[in-house]
Amino acid sequence: MIKPEPFKFLCPQCGYSKIVKPKSDVLNSVAMINICPQCKSKMELKKLNIIDKLFG
Ligand SMILES: [Zn+2]
């Protein structure tokens, strides 16, 4: 079984970021929760890089 890779939402407006570790089919609902809680902008979906994995 392939383990889903964690990923990150990043808000280009205020810099807010949130790391998401998907479980099973969470990806289907992720598209609906990509609104920044701070400024209500649409956040960008980023793949985690090695630095995020170290400090996340
Ligand atoms: Zn924001």
Side-chain angles (χ1 to χ4, degrees), residues 12-33:
Q13 294 296 321
C14 71
Y16 175 87
S17 66
K18 178 171 74 173
I19 291 175
V20 176
K21 291 171 183 169
K23 287 172 186 172
S24 56
D25 57 350
V26 181
L27 275 176
N28 289 330
S29 56
V30 154
M32 303 175 67
I33 58 167

Side-chain angles (χ1 to χ4, degrees), residues 1 8 10-11 13-14 16 19 26-27 30 33 35-36 39 52 55:
M1 180 177 171
K8 176 168 82 171
L10 177 67
C11 175
Q13 294 296 321
C14 71
Y16 175 87
I19 291 175
V26 181
L27 275 176
V30 154
I33 58 167
I35 301 299
C36 177
C39 68
D52 288 317
F55 293 98

